[in-house]
Amino acid sequence: RGARLTAVRRTVLSLVWQSHAPVGAYDLLARLNAGGGKIAPIAVYRALDFLIAQGLVHRLASLNAYVGCAHVGHDHAAQFLICQGCGCAAEVESPALRKALAKAVAGRGFTIDREIVEISGLCPHCKSA
């Protein structure tokens, strides 16, 4: 796309992708500055905004946290299963859900700008525990 992946953006992307658990901006900041760095919070938020705009990261509003995009490279609606037990988040893609939401909002004259569906519950591991 011609966008520039600076060192801070690359590091933030790497940190977000280290696990399937959503990570907060201040957790990212602490990791970035753990070795004595002096990166400001605004730099982390700008990096996250860039990564979201490039389709590499999603923001989970209910957790105020970020996860890597599992479907990089194509336009899609983000749908997440968020475990209340272990905190993991799994991105799923359901064309049927996307179609149903589009139909529901079109009936109201609403235009979708960005679609992120967050579903909370228990993952199979936590459910069996």
Side-chain angles (χ1 to χ4, degrees):
R1 295 181 186 177
R4 205 170 131 228
L5 192 60
T6 63
V8 172
R9 291 171 178 171
R10 183 182 310 275
T11 304
V12 168
L13 179 61
S14 175
L15 291 172
V16 169
W17 269 99
Q18 283 184 350
S19 76
H20 291 290
V23 61
Y26 277 90
D27 292 331
L28 293 168
L29 181 65
R31 291 182 198 173
L32 285 165
N33 288 333
K38 303 246 182 199
I39 295 174
I42 191 69
V44 173
Y45 282 109
R46 285 182 180 151
L48 289 165
D49 287 343
F50 170 85
L51 296 170
I52 290 168
Q54 297 305 312
L56 300 170
V57 168
H58 294 289
R59 180 176 181 270
L60 299 178
S62 66
L63 302 175
N64 195 22
Y66 302 84
V67 293
C69 177
H71 304 287
V72 174
H74 72 280
D75 183 36
H76 65 283
Q79 300 146 1
F80 289 91
L81 306 177
I82 303 169
C83 181
Q84 296 170 329
C86 65
C88 73
E91 184 174 357
V92 296
E93 196 169 2
S94 172
L97 178 58
R98 187 175 194 184
K99 185 177 178 179
L101 285 171
K103 184 178 178 181
V105 299
R108 298 236 180 207
F110 190 83
T111 302
I112 297 174
D113 176 45
R114 183 178 26 163
E115 179 184 329
I116 300 176
V117 176
E118 300 178 30
I119 302 169
S120 296
L122 293 175
C123 71
H125 175 74
C126 291
K127 189 171 140 182
S128 67

